[in-house]
Amino acid sequence: ASNFSYPSTLCEDANIQFTDISIPGTGSFITNWNWNFGDPQSGTSNLSLLQNPSHIFNSPGIYNITLTVSSSGGCAGTTTKTVEISGRPTAIFTADTVCKGNATHFFNASVANSGFLTSYHWNFGDNSTPSLIPEPSHPYAFSGTYSTTLRVTNSKGCIDSVSNDVLVLPGPQAAFTHDNENCAGQSVAFFDQSSTSLGYLNQWIWDFGDGNSATINFPSVQDVTHSYALPGIYQIILTVQNSEGCIDSVVQSLEIKANPTADFSYPTVNCESRQVQFQDLTLLNGGGNVFVWNWNFGDPG
């Protein structure tokens, strides 16, 4: 008796394996197999004389598969089975072009074609853990071009995948220096040393750590000065942006020292033409030592 089997998942463009399970008559064996896959669009591939052939259906639809077998006893048997070939999905996606350190968002436009989409598998091309959600966001640690692959499966078990290059732009490098010795009430100079390998720097945002800030746009000079009313440790943040919209920030600590409190003493009784001894009583407040004294005795004559 002629008979054959095939996989439970039947998708277009897949290499489908057909397996002969025919049973010959008593005392004989099968000598010939004639397959007709009901797919005349496949040309000569529509027919096969193999025992266990495979066939690719290039279009979804209903196909009548026929197997005729002949035995050594001169007998023949034919079996026809109707199968449905499901359309495979079409994997489609786009992605933002972003700067290093920012998350790239992926937009999934895949189509099920048969049934509905049931699973997604994203490989971001940077050896990170794949994502299984429809539209992930992924941060790339370094700039460059990454080959990202999306594989989708529909409810018929059919699979499709697509790979696209994702561009991650290099960001600028924020950097600055400042005066080393700084006291309350004095102007502190900040010197920008930022750079960018893409485009040009077009904005500097200085946060002075005391509630004050300054925003400077190209082509203005980006170096700034700022005075602090009170001593203390301040966290200075410089954020820079380049012409591609990429940003970077750097933080540095700045110590503002307390000014000394000048004071002195002198004798309570002082007479003309006699030496008056003055005693420095300066309070250092922030520590250190006094190394310059400037006295004015108010006696120009």
Side-chain angles (χ1 to χ4, degrees):
S2 172
N3 199 6
F4 61 91
S5 64
Y6 48 86
S8 58
T9 299
L10 302 172
C11 302
E12 67 170 319
D13 297 330
N15 196 31
I16 299 173
Q17 181 68 51
F18 293 89
T19 303
D20 169 49
I21 54 174
S22 302
I23 301 175
T26 303
S28 65
F29 54 88
I30 296 175
T31 57
N32 296 291
W33 296 266
N34 288 279
W35 295 84
N36 186 318
F37 298 108
D39 182 21
Q41 292 183 347
S42 63
T44 57
S45 297
N46 187 46
L47 304 176
S48 177
L49 301 178
L50 298 176
Q51 180 180 4
N52 300 304
S54 61
H55 185 74
I56 297 174
F57 296 89
N58 293 318
S59 300
I62 304 299
Y63 294 85
N64 294 315
I65 317 298
T66 299
L67 170 62
T68 299
V69 296
S70 302
S71 69
S72 58
C75 298
T78 298
T79 296
T80 298
K81 295 184 180 183
T82 300
V83 300
E84 179 181 0
I85 302 299
S86 299
R88 64 184 177 89
T90 303
I92 305 170
F93 76 89
T94 58
D96 288 334
T97 296
V98 302
C99 306
K100 179 188 71 173
N102 295 332
T104 298
H105 185 67
F106 294 87
F107 303 92
N108 183 3
S110 302
V111 180
N113 293 324
S114 292
F116 51 90
L117 294 174
T118 58
S119 68
Y120 312 84
H121 185 281
W122 296 86
N123 186 323
F124 299 112
D126 62 350
N127 297 318
S128 61
T129 301
S131 176
L132 305 180
I133 64 176
E135 290 193 336
S137 292
H138 179 71
Y140 289 94
F142 303 99
S143 60
T145 300
Y146 296 86
S147 180
T148 300
T149 300
L150 167 62
R151 186 177 73 242
V152 296
T153 305
N154 65 20
S155 56
K156 299 295 185 178
C158 301
I159 298 172
D160 187 42
S161 64
V162 64
S163 296
N164 293 330
D165 286 340
V166 175
L167 178 62
V168 179
L169 300 175
Q173 297 293 317
F176 68 93
T177 60
H178 54 75
D179 290 339
N180 291 326
E181 298 295 332
N182 304 288
C183 300
Q186 297 178 353
S187 290
V188 181
F190 296 92
F191 306 99
D192 173 60
Q193 293 186 331
S194 305
S195 62
T196 182
S197 61
L198 185 68
Y200 58 91
L201 295 174
N202 63 1
Q203 188 176 73
W204 298 258
I205 301 174
W206 294 91
D207 183 333
F208 300 112
D210 63 349
N212 294 293
S213 62
T215 299
I216 300 172
N217 295 309
F218 180 85
S220 299
V221 175
Q222 56 269 26
D223 297 336
V224 295
T225 59
H226 182 70
S227 62
Y228 293 85
L230 299 175
I233 304 295
Y234 295 89
Q235 300 299 313
I236 316 304
I237 305 173
L238 171 61
T239 301
V240 296
Q241 175 180 277
N242 66 17
S243 55
E244 301 300 318
C246 301
I247 63 173
D248 187 45
S249 296
V250 63
V251 181
Q252 291 189 33
S253 294
L254 173 67
E255 180 182 5
I256 300 297
K257 298 178 181 179
N259 293 310
T261 302
D263 195 10
F264 63 92
S265 65
Y266 50 89
T268 57
V269 177
N270 301 283
C271 299
E272 177 186 8
S273 300
R274 294 182 63 181
Q275 189 80 15
V276 179
Q277 181 65 49
F278 294 91
Q279 180 68 42
D280 173 39
L281 299 177
T282 299
L283 297 177
L284 294 175
N285 297 324
N289 299 291
V290 176
F291 62 93
V292 175
W293 293 263
N294 287 285
W295 294 86
N296 186 328
F297 298 110
D299 181 21

